[in-house]
Amino acid sequence: MINTYQTSLPPPPVPPRLGRHQIASAPVLSLKSGPSKPVFRFVIGIVVLHLILSFGGFVYLYHSGNQWQDTIKLMYQDEQNLQRLVQECKQNVQSQPGCRQILNEYNSVTKDSAGQGKVESLSGKSSYYGTMARMNAIKATDTSTSKYLLWDTAHSKKNNVQNNFDKDRLILKQSGDYFVFSRVTFSSYGPKSVLANFVKVWENGDKKTEKTLMKAYCSLVTRPGMCTASQAEVVSLNKGDQLGVWVEDPNLVDYEEDATIFGLYKL
């Protein structure tokens, strides 16, 4: 039997082994492909910065909006609280301590149209030097047929705002956002008249552009009696715009001091 497992050929040579320094210097193929780490980190940084700026801008706008809304609310509440206190003092001077002094200061302020506003003077606050107006209504002559209320310029307060020749409109000198308010008190009832308070606006004084800016209504619970239609709104207006208050029957309006007012503040 022939032995096939034995041969006279020499064995093949052993391949050389690599040293440690040769293994370390050998190139290594990476299975992953894509952007390098610096580029990836830069993109992540841009995204995070964008989120931080967006969140900060939102917080700033939110607090800024709340700030001017609170300011408007305080101005309106101060006016209402002052009117309520003065009415209570007029009914009974002895009802509250200091009523006589409050009425004296109130009367002196209302007589001085060039002085400070009623709320600012009585509360000790500084004057409002921005664009503003607070007008008191005055009764028109019996021959007047206009349904727009007239304003007593001698006993009203305004700054950087004009009146038209007929004294039934306010003319703006600046464009911007305005807080507009009006209060009309009705002391009589007309069977064919609606007790309504409309604030009208004319763009640049053009009669063809007349439109209603705000509406308010009230109804008399008892007759005879009184009711008040009040309203306030923040609106955007332009230089030269004119504003007025329309009622269906001016003879039904109460023209006592501070019963019917109209005004605005530029924000």
Side-chain angles (χ1 to χ4, degrees):
M1 185 174 182
I2 301 174
N3 185 4
T4 60
Y5 295 97
Q6 294 181 355
T7 178
S8 60
L9 296 174
V14 179
R17 297 182 179 178
L18 297 175
R20 293 182 178 178
H21 65 283
Q22 294 175 328
I23 296 175
S25 62
V28 179
L29 296 178
S30 177
L31 298 178
K32 298 181 179 180
S33 61
S36 60
K37 289 185 177 180
V39 176
F40 183 77
R41 291 175 180 174
F42 177 78
V43 174
I44 293 296
I46 292 297
V47 173
V48 173
L49 180 61
H50 177 72
L51 292 176
I52 293 176
L53 293 177
S54 299
F55 180 77
F58 174 80
V59 173
Y60 173 78
L61 292 176
Y62 177 79
H63 286 286
S64 298
N66 287 342
Q67 184 176 4
W68 68 258
Q69 287 180 356
D70 293 340
T71 302
I72 292 174
K73 186 183 295 184
L74 288 175
M75 289 191 301
Y76 194 72
Q77 289 177 350
D78 286 345
E79 181 69 20
Q80 295 294 327
N81 293 335
L82 175 61
Q83 298 299 331
R84 189 180 302 108
L85 178 60
V86 171
Q87 291 297 330
E88 292 176 358
C89 287
K90 285 182 177 180
Q91 294 176 2
N92 186 1
V93 178
Q94 306 298 331
S95 61
Q96 296 187 24
C99 266
R100 189 177 299 278
Q101 181 180 359
I102 291 175
L103 290 177
N104 291 336
E105 292 184 5
Y106 179 86
N107 293 330
S108 64
V109 169
T110 54
K111 292 179 181 179
D112 184 10
S113 61
Q116 295 178 328
K118 289 185 283 299
V119 175
E120 291 84 355
S121 295
L122 295 180
S123 61
K125 300 179 182 178
S126 60
S127 298
Y128 184 83
Y129 293 104
T131 300
M132 59 82 63
R134 186 190 182 280
M135 313 300 293
N136 287 302
I138 186 172
K139 190 173 183 179
T141 60
D142 296 336
T143 58
S144 175
T145 58
S146 174
K147 294 187 178 182
Y148 289 94
L149 297 181
L150 302 182
W151 307 109
D152 185 3
T153 56
H155 297 87
S156 299
K157 180 176 175 60
K158 58 184 174 66
N159 184 49
N160 205 24
V161 179
Q162 288 182 335
N163 287 102
N164 64 337
F165 180 78
D166 295 329
K167 297 182 180 181
D168 60 351
R169 300 184 190 179
L170 294 177
I171 305 175
L172 302 182
K173 293 184 178 181
Q174 295 179 344
S175 302
D177 295 331
Y178 286 82
F179 175 70
V180 183
F181 61 91
S182 68
R183 180 175 71 233
V184 177
T185 301
F186 296 93
S187 57
S188 301
Y189 170 76
K192 298 182 180 181
S193 300
V194 179
L195 303 183
N197 164 17
F198 287 10
V199 175
K200 301 278 188 174
V201 62
W202 296 265
E203 295 181 4
N204 203 23
D206 188 358
K207 294 182 178 180
K208 297 180 180 179
T209 63
E210 177 184 335
K211 63 180 181 180
T212 300
L213 197 64
M214 296 186 296
K215 298 179 181 180
Y217 303 87
C218 71
S219 59
L220 294 175
V221 179
T222 60
R223 300 185 181 91
M226 303 180 71
C227 72
T228 301
S230 301
Q231 56 188 336
E233 186 64 72
V234 176
V235 294
S236 296
L237 300 170
N238 298 318
K239 179 181 178 180
D241 288 352
Q242 300 184 11
L243 291 89
V245 177
W246 178 94
V247 295
E248 188 167 355
D249 189 352
N251 294 322
L252 305 179
V253 175
D254 182 9
Y255 292 97
E256 289 188 5
E257 186 177 8
D258 296 322
T260 300
I261 63 172
F262 171 54
L264 52 84
Y265 293 89
K266 185 177 186 298
L267 304 180

